[in-house]
Amino acid sequence: MAPMKPLRGMRTSSSVLALALVLAASSARAGEPSLAEYVFDGSHVFWFSWITDTHIDFVLPLGPEGEEDRLRWATGEGFEVVQPWFTVATGDLTDSTNGISYLSGQQDSEWSLYRQIVVDENGMGPEFYFDVAGNHDCYSDGAQDHYLAFSVQGVATGVTQHTWRLDAPWGASYAFVEVATPSNGGEPWLDPLQPAELTSDELAEVDTFLTAGDDADLAIVFGHHPFDSFDGADGLREVMTRHGVGHYMAGHSHDLNFASYEGGAIVQTRSNSLGQSGENNFAVVAVDADAVSWKWISLTDPPPPYPIVLITAPVDARLGADDDFENPYAPPVPATCADAPVRALIFDHGDVASARFRWDGGEWTAMSQWPDQPLQWRGRFDASVLTAGIHTLEVEGTGTTTQTSVAQVMFAGGDCTVGEEDLPGADADADADADADADGGADADADGDAAAEASVEADASPDIAGETDDLEGGDGGELKTSGDGCGCRAAGGDAGWTGSALLLGLAVFAAGRRLRRGTITPADRVRR
């Protein structure tokens, strides 16, 4: 496998940054999504990008042409602008047409082009890019040999289902699982015997993954097929409910849609096709105090209109294109609070000059860029002047152009329990403490460069000429990761996590001037 290509404006680190034993045994369920909070503390936020149904081919456009350019943007410029903690691609990575027919089966040329764009051109690595197979990736290939030979996770792990864990710098943990829902039979397209399926063995492995994540504050499951499109969905929902997992994110149907299952305990989110649609086909998903929010952009001819504005607090209580889905995991705003927060992430390839918000079409209130996290903008308002019920929040960001996001927010009575706002500089202090612990008591500076370079052993990768470097963003942030030889990729082995897992690498992501120290831990997995 070729060395990871550095992203533009960034440099790779090709060293093992950590090796530790993580004990995951727990009898508790994963963090209930109903425990999400609406609070003043805005430091407990992370986000990831999500694409699906990229359908890379050569000739046969079934939607707007240029699916290759849209994938290039999503894993190239879009990755640099959004600076996600990781990226998820939920299947139908290629089209399986050979430019002629879906009956052609898997095509080396399509898979090679997919890998060229994602890995060779844009440097996506298995530490932060998680791609799983869809039905198009398995036509006439039930063993998923092409997926295992070309996809980022397939090459890195040799397996078809994946789990990883994010240990956030504020002390919380988050668990993620990708399930393999395509048929295992290798049937061609339109074969009536071709069932999308999650087999009993695959389901048992998912149960093992989620058991290992029972101590997480929140867990999310990803798959290609929606629940109504594959055999074994009932079993997956039962396992998710038993472990307290309330979010399932999928593609396949080429539309944006929300649905609830298990009496509202599970929210299923479908995203539109990046490859064969020009609407709602690139998503940024944020988690703010364990409350989940989404922002879709319609990407036809990249780049999209900047900036991208994602409201993270308070979260949208009415989801979907027509605001017709009631979000069961949207914490309400206490209408008794005389001082309450608004937060948004604003992404632009240039500077963001200003941001503001308003309620119900009223007067605009200015927001401030948070010094510890320049992608985050904050504002305050008097919630006590608004009545209980739904109110419309608009957040407007001005950068390359002026763009607005809208959320329908629930207000309710009760005590004002939003807590205190975090103070500027608190993140830097926490990072310095974490650096000192990780480096065996070394004196870490604000960037952590000296401590990192003194304590790790660089390999002989020609990209870094034997030195350990930071991946530096254009606005002074750092992105540290480990490349080839770091051991961050699980090599396959015994089934699942069995109460403990090796932390095989430390992936540290940064946005703006704030150093985000989050440990992403791949688990040992087996090929089905």
Side-chain angles (χ1 to χ4, degrees):
M1 175 179 172
M4 187 176 103
K5 180 180 179 180
L7 297 175
R8 292 182 294 276
M10 302 181 179
R11 296 174 293 165
T12 60
S13 166
S14 186
S15 306
V16 179
L17 298 182
L19 183 63
L21 184 66
V22 176
L23 298 179
S26 173
S27 59
R29 287 155 40 115
E32 298 277 3
S34 59
L35 299 179
E37 298 179 296
Y38 169 70
V39 293
F40 247 123
D41 189 339
S43 65
H44 297 180
V45 182
F46 74 93
W47 59 95
F48 59 91
S49 57
W50 173 27
I51 58 177
T52 192
D53 296 77
T54 52
H55 286 283
I56 295 301
D57 62 17
F58 276 95
V59 179
L60 190 66
L62 296 183
E65 295 186 22
E67 66 271 16
E68 293 87 2
D69 289 337
R70 291 191 288 278
L71 180 60
R72 283 189 177 94
W73 180 88
T75 57
E77 178 182 314
F79 187 89
E80 294 180 35
V81 169
V82 173
Q83 299 185 46
W85 291 44
F86 56 86
T87 295
V88 178
T90 50
D92 281 1
L93 310 175
T94 68
D95 204 34
S96 182
T97 61
N98 196 28
I100 300 172
S101 167
Y102 290 123
L103 294 173
S104 302
Q106 299 305 303
Q107 303 298 314
D108 286 356
S109 57
E110 293 178 355
W111 279 104
S112 294
L113 181 56
Y114 169 78
R115 187 166 182 86
Q116 173 190 317
I117 294 170
V118 171
V119 177
D120 299 339
E121 296 180 17
N122 287 331
M124 295 294 100
E127 302 90 354
F128 53 88
Y129 184 84
F130 298 90
D131 49 358
V132 71
N135 51 297
H136 281 253
D137 305 316
C138 301
Y139 289 150
S140 303
D141 186 6
Q144 296 192 29
D145 288 335
H146 283 76
Y147 169 82
L148 294 170
F150 291 96
S151 71
V152 174
Q153 288 298 317
V155 169
T157 68
V159 297
T160 57
Q161 301 198 124
H162 314 288
T163 184
W164 66 100
R165 179 188 185 100
L166 171 64
D167 292 318
W170 51 89
S173 295
Y174 302 92
F176 307 94
V177 172
E178 283 182 328
V179 300
T181 59
S183 170
N184 296 338
E187 301 86 357
W189 179 61
L190 286 184
D191 189 311
L193 299 179
Q194 182 205 67
E197 60 180 347
L198 188 68
T199 67
S200 58
D201 288 343
E202 290 164 347
L203 181 60
E205 186 176 53
V206 172
D207 194 2
T208 301
F209 291 164
L210 292 178
T211 298
D214 274 339
D215 62 337
D217 293 83
L218 186 73
I220 299 175
V221 175
F222 303 92
H224 177 67
H225 292 88
F227 285 133
D228 62 1
S229 300
F230 67 95
D231 295 341
D234 291 348
L236 177 58
R237 293 196 302 270
E238 186 278 325
V239 168
M240 290 176 61
T241 302
R242 176 157 41 85
H243 288 284
V245 180
H247 288 285
Y248 178 71
M249 302 185 188
H252 184 66
S253 299
H254 293 203
D255 63 358
L256 169 58
N257 178 270
F258 289 87
S260 63
Y261 291 84
E262 305 302 316
I266 298 177
V267 173
Q268 173 185 271
T269 309
R270 291 202 311 251
S271 189
N272 210 340
S273 167
L274 183 69
Q276 296 184 351
S277 174
E279 298 181 350
N280 301 315
N281 55 2
F282 177 85
V284 185
V285 185
V287 177
D288 185 329
D290 298 344
V292 181
S293 55
W294 297 260
K295 173 63 179 182
W296 275 271
I297 62 172
S298 296
L299 189 67
T300 302
D301 297 314
Y306 291 119
I308 301 168
V309 180
L310 169 56
I311 300 170
T312 69
V315 299
D316 203 340
R318 297 290 184 267
L319 302 171
D322 299 318
D323 295 328
D324 55 356
F325 179 80
E326 184 174 341
N327 183 0
Y329 300 130
V333 174
T336 54
C337 290
D339 193 17
V342 171
R343 284 189 294 276
L345 295 167
I346 304 181
F347 310 102
D348 201 322
H349 63 57
D351 293 333
V352 176
S354 64
R356 59 183 186 170
F357 72 94
R358 67 179 178 180
W359 290 100
D360 299 326
E363 294 295 321
W364 288 100
T365 299
M367 303 177 74
S368 299
Q369 192 174 32
W370 193 242
D372 286 349
Q373 174 47 277
L375 295 176
Q376 186 184 76
W377 290 73
R378 301 186 183 187
R380 308 168 84 107
F381 72 103
D382 183 356
S384 67
V385 301
L386 298 174
T387 59
I390 292 289
H391 293 273
T392 301
L393 170 64
E394 297 173 76
V395 174
E396 177 188 273
T398 298
T400 302
T401 65
T402 296
Q403 299 293 321
T404 302
S405 279
V406 179
Q408 305 300 319
V409 178
M410 176 63 71
F411 283 64
D415 295 336
C416 181
T417 56
V418 295
E420 300 293 329
E421 188 170 26
D422 51 308
L423 298 176
D427 293 328
D429 293 340
D431 287 334
D433 291 341
D435 285 341
D437 292 340
D439 296 327
D443 183 18
D445 64 12
D447 292 332
D449 291 347
E453 293 185 3
S455 62
V456 299
E457 179 180 352
D459 69 4
S461 170
D463 285 339
I464 63 169
E467 68 182 34
T468 298
D469 289 328
D470 296 328
L471 290 173
E472 297 179 344
D475 51 9
E478 300 174 331
L479 190 155
K480 299 179 181 177
T481 184
S482 44
D484 287 341
C486 75
C488 293
R489 307 183 300 272
D494 295 335
W497 292 17
T498 58
S500 65
L502 283 178
L503 172 55
L504 297 176
L506 177 65
V508 181
F509 295 86
R513 289 183 293 275
R514 175 188 171 206
L515 180 61
R516 299 188 317 219
R517 289 202 172 270
T519 305
I520 294 184
T521 311
D524 289 335
R525 289 147 289 192
V526 296
R527 176 172 175 175
R528 62 182 185 179

Short mmCIF file of all heavy atoms in Angstrom, two decimals, residues 281-303:
data_model
loop_
_atom_site.label_atom_id
_atom_site.label_comp_id
_atom_site.label_asym_id
_atom_site.label_seq_id
_atom_site.Cartn_x
_atom_site.Cartn_y
_atom_site.Cartn_z
N ASN A 281 -26.57 15.71 -0.61
CA ASN A 281 -25.71 14.55 -0.84
C ASN A 281 -24.38 14.61 -0.12
O ASN A 281 -23.52 13.75 -0.33
CB ASN A 281 -25.50 14.34 -2.35
CG ASN A 281 -24.93 15.58 -3.04
OD1 ASN A 281 -24.65 16.60 -2.41
ND2 ASN A 281 -24.76 15.49 -4.36
N PHE A 282 -24.17 15.60 0.73
CA PHE A 282 -22.98 15.66 1.58
C PHE A 282 -23.43 16.18 2.93
O PHE A 282 -24.07 17.24 3.02
CB PHE A 282 -21.91 16.57 0.98
CG PHE A 282 -20.68 16.73 1.85
CD1 PHE A 282 -19.65 15.81 1.79
CD2 PHE A 282 -20.57 17.79 2.75
CE1 PHE A 282 -18.52 15.95 2.59
CE2 PHE A 282 -19.45 17.94 3.55
CZ PHE A 282 -18.42 17.01 3.47
N ALA A 283 -23.12 15.43 3.99
CA ALA A 283 -23.60 15.79 5.32
C ALA A 283 -22.43 16.01 6.27
O ALA A 283 -21.43 15.30 6.22
CB ALA A 283 -24.51 14.70 5.87
N VAL A 284 -22.59 17.00 7.13
CA VAL A 284 -21.74 17.17 8.30
C VAL A 284 -22.61 16.88 9.51
O VAL A 284 -23.70 17.44 9.65
CB VAL A 284 -21.16 18.59 8.40
CG1 VAL A 284 -20.17 18.68 9.56
CG2 VAL A 284 -20.48 18.99 7.10
N VAL A 285 -22.15 15.97 10.35
CA VAL A 285 -22.89 15.55 11.54
C VAL A 285 -22.11 15.99 12.77
O VAL A 285 -20.92 15.67 12.89
CB VAL A 285 -23.12 14.03 11.56
CG1 VAL A 285 -24.01 13.63 12.73
CG2 VAL A 285 -23.73 13.56 10.24
N ALA A 286 -22.75 16.71 13.67
CA ALA A 286 -22.10 17.19 14.89
C ALA A 286 -22.73 16.57 16.11
O ALA A 286 -23.94 16.26 16.12
CB ALA A 286 -22.17 18.72 14.97
N VAL A 287 -21.93 16.41 17.14
CA VAL A 287 -22.40 15.95 18.44
C VAL A 287 -21.98 17.01 19.46
O VAL A 287 -20.80 17.25 19.66
CB VAL A 287 -21.82 14.57 18.81
CG1 VAL A 287 -22.29 14.15 20.20
CG2 VAL A 287 -22.23 13.53 17.77
N ASP A 288 -22.97 17.68 20.06
CA ASP A 288 -22.74 18.77 21.00
C ASP A 288 -23.41 18.39 22.31
O ASP A 288 -24.64 18.34 22.40
CB ASP A 288 -23.33 20.06 20.44
CG ASP A 288 -23.04 21.29 21.30
OD1 ASP A 288 -22.92 21.15 22.53
OD2 ASP A 288 -22.94 22.40 20.75
N ALA A 289 -22.60 18.10 23.33
CA ALA A 289 -23.12 17.62 24.62
C ALA A 289 -24.03 16.41 24.40
O ALA A 289 -25.09 16.27 25.01
CB ALA A 289 -23.84 18.73 25.38
N ASP A 290 -23.62 15.54 23.47
CA ASP A 290 -24.28 14.28 23.11
C ASP A 290 -25.58 14.48 22.33
O ASP A 290 -26.29 13.50 22.07
CB ASP A 290 -24.53 13.40 24.34
CG ASP A 290 -23.24 12.99 25.03
OD1 ASP A 290 -22.17 13.13 24.40
OD2 ASP A 290 -23.29 12.56 26.19
N ALA A 291 -25.91 15.70 21.95
CA ALA A 291 -27.05 15.95 21.07
C ALA A 291 -26.56 15.99 19.63
O ALA A 291 -25.59 16.68 19.31
CB ALA A 291 -27.74 17.26 21.44
N VAL A 292 -27.23 15.26 18.74
CA VAL A 292 -26.78 15.09 17.36
C VAL A 292 -27.51 16.08 16.46
O VAL A 292 -28.73 16.27 16.55
CB VAL A 292 -27.04 13.66 16.88
CG1 VAL A 292 -26.56 13.46 15.44
CG2 VAL A 292 -26.34 12.66 17.80
N SER A 293 -26.75 16.71 15.56
CA SER A 293 -27.34 17.60 14.57
C SER A 293 -26.72 17.31 13.21
O SER A 293 -25.60 16.79 13.12
CB SER A 293 -27.15 19.06 14.95
OG SER A 293 -25.78 19.35 15.17
N TRP A 294 -27.45 17.66 12.15
CA TRP A 294 -27.02 17.38 10.78
C TRP A 294 -27.09 18.64 9.95
O TRP A 294 -27.95 19.50 10.16
CB TRP A 294 -27.95 16.35 10.11
CG TRP A 294 -28.00 14.99 10.70
CD1 TRP A 294 -27.36 13.87 10.26
CD2 TRP A 294 -28.80 14.56 11.82
NE1 TRP A 294 -27.69 12.78 11.02
CE2 TRP A 294 -28.56 13.18 12.00
CE3 TRP A 294 -29.66 15.22 12.69
CZ2 TRP A 294 -29.18 12.43 13.00
CZ3 TRP A 294 -30.26 14.49 13.70
CH2 TRP A 294 -30.02 13.11 13.85
N LYS A 295 -26.21 18.74 8.97
CA LYS A 295 -26.30 19.78 7.95
C LYS A 295 -25.98 19.16 6.60
O LYS A 295 -24.89 18.60 6.40
CB LYS A 295 -25.32 20.93 8.23
CG LYS A 295 -25.24 21.97 7.12
CD LYS A 295 -26.56 22.70 6.90
CE LYS A 295 -26.44 23.75 5.80
NZ LYS A 295 -27.72 24.49 5.62
N TRP A 296 -26.94 19.22 5.68
CA TRP A 296 -26.71 18.72 4.33
C TRP A 296 -26.47 19.88 3.38
O TRP A 296 -27.07 20.96 3.52
CB TRP A 296 -27.93 17.94 3.83
CG TRP A 296 -27.94 16.52 4.25
CD1 TRP A 296 -27.40 15.44 3.59
CD2 TRP A 296 -28.54 15.98 5.45
NE1 TRP A 296 -27.61 14.28 4.30
CE2 TRP A 296 -28.31 14.58 5.44
CE3 TRP A 296 -29.22 16.53 6.52
CZ2 TRP A 296 -28.75 13.75 6.46
CZ3 TRP A 296 -29.67 15.71 7.54
CH2 TRP A 296 -29.43 14.33 7.50
N ILE A 297 -25.57 19.65 2.43
CA ILE A 297 -25.42 20.59 1.33
C ILE A 297 -25.72 19.84 0.04
O ILE A 297 -25.60 18.61 -0.04
CB ILE A 297 -24.02 21.22 1.29
CG1 ILE A 297 -22.94 20.16 1.07
CG2 ILE A 297 -23.75 22.02 2.54
CD1 ILE A 297 -21.57 20.76 0.83
N SER A 298 -26.13 20.58 -0.96
CA SER A 298 -26.43 20.00 -2.27
C SER A 298 -25.25 20.27 -3.19
O SER A 298 -25.03 21.41 -3.63
CB SER A 298 -27.72 20.61 -2.83
OG SER A 298 -28.83 20.27 -2.01
N LEU A 299 -24.51 19.21 -3.44
CA LEU A 299 -23.25 19.33 -4.17
C LEU A 299 -23.44 18.77 -5.58
O LEU A 299 -23.53 17.56 -5.77
CB LEU A 299 -22.15 18.56 -3.43
CG LEU A 299 -20.72 18.73 -3.92
CD1 LEU A 299 -20.23 20.14 -3.68
CD2 LEU A 299 -19.81 17.72 -3.23
N THR A 300 -23.55 19.65 -6.57
CA THR A 300 -23.63 19.22 -7.97
C THR A 300 -22.30 19.48 -8.67
O THR A 300 -21.65 18.56 -9.16
CB THR A 300 -24.77 19.95 -8.70
OG1 THR A 300 -26.00 19.69 -8.02
CG2 THR A 300 -24.89 19.45 -10.13
N ASP A 301 -21.89 20.72 -8.71
CA ASP A 301 -20.61 21.10 -9.30
C ASP A 301 -19.76 21.74 -8.20
O ASP A 301 -19.98 22.90 -7.84
CB ASP A 301 -20.80 22.09 -10.45
CG ASP A 301 -21.60 21.48 -11.59
OD1 ASP A 301 -21.31 20.33 -11.97
OD2 ASP A 301 -22.51 22.16 -12.09
N PRO A 302 -18.82 20.99 -7.62
CA PRO A 302 -18.02 21.53 -6.51
C PRO A 302 -17.24 22.76 -6.97
O PRO A 302 -16.89 22.88 -8.14
CB PRO A 302 -17.08 20.37 -6.17
CG PRO A 302 -17.71 19.16 -6.76
CD PRO A 302 -18.44 19.62 -7.98
N PRO A 303 -16.93 23.66 -6.02
CA PRO A 303 -17.30 23.61 -4.61
C PRO A 303 -18.72 24.13 -4.39
O PRO A 303 -19.29 24.79 -5.26
CB PRO A 303 -16.27 24.54 -3.95
CG PRO A 303 -16.00 25.56 -5.00
CD PRO A 303 -16.05 24.82 -6.31
#
